[in-house]
Amino acid sequence: VECRGGGPTLRARAVVVALSPKVALESICFEPRLPERRRQLVGQLALGAYSKFVLVYETAWWRGDGLSGSSICSDASEEWPIFATFDYVHEAHGEQRRLHALVAFATAELARATAELSPEVRRARVEACVGRMLASGREGEAAAR
């Protein structure tokens, strides 16, 4: 891979492109040129609305409850905007501490609506939704522990 721009030319065996496919197609000159079918497909892609939330806890309480931390909600709404959660427990390299977190996602209109909320209301709604999704059958249990 060869990267040419306003500065020096960079060469590497591979490159990671952190752009949407459509933006990459519009802003990168590929040599050899990408196949026509690929360019047509990428040109028709539309970006969706996603919101990602990371909830950090002192402990991975969901694991203590025998849960994986992964969940899917089939009835997401403005009140309960999260459609999926995933466990993210990470041991920091060179440190004696672990990051215990759940990653949660809202999509489409629910992501847009959630983004319009004040930070305090958004946080409370996301925490309540995640708590509901991972309540393990215990009605009304709060998410924040």
Side-chain angles (χ1 to χ4, degrees), residues 1-12 14-17 27-29:
V1 176
E2 189 172 282
C3 239
R4 292 179 293 228
T9 298
L10 304 174
R11 290 180 184 81
V15 66
V16 175
V17 179
S27 59
I28 297 174
C29 177

Side-chain angles (χ1 to χ4, degrees), residues 7 24 36 43-44 57 68 75-76 78 85 87 105 112 129 132 135 137:
E36 184 63 27
Q44 294 172 5
Y57 299 94
S68 67
D75 62 345
E78 283 197 29
T85 64
D87 177 296
F105 294 91
R112 290 183 189 95
C129 188
R132 174 181 171 240

Side-chain angles (χ1 to χ4, degrees), residues 14-94:
V15 66
V16 175
V17 179
L19 299 170
S20 70
K22 188 171 183 175
V23 171
L25 183 67
E26 293 170 351
S27 59
I28 297 174
C29 177
F30 292 93
E31 293 179 26
R33 187 175 168 101
L34 293 176
E36 184 63 27
R37 292 194 75 182
R38 167 82 43 100
R39 291 181 343 170
Q40 287 175 353
L41 174 64
V42 170
Q44 294 172 5
L45 293 175
L47 293 178
Y50 284 87
S51 291
K52 177 181 178 180
F53 306 94
V54 180
L55 293 82
V56 179
Y57 299 94
E58 290 294 319
T59 63
W61 57 265
W62 54 95
R63 289 183 176 183
D65 289 351
L67 301 172
S68 67
S70 296
S71 65
I72 303 270
C73 179
S74 61
D75 62 345
S77 65
E78 283 197 29
E79 183 180 358
W80 305 108
I82 301 302
F83 90 93
T85 64
F86 300 95
D87 177 296
Y88 181 79
V89 176
H90 178 71
E91 292 188 32
H93 296 289

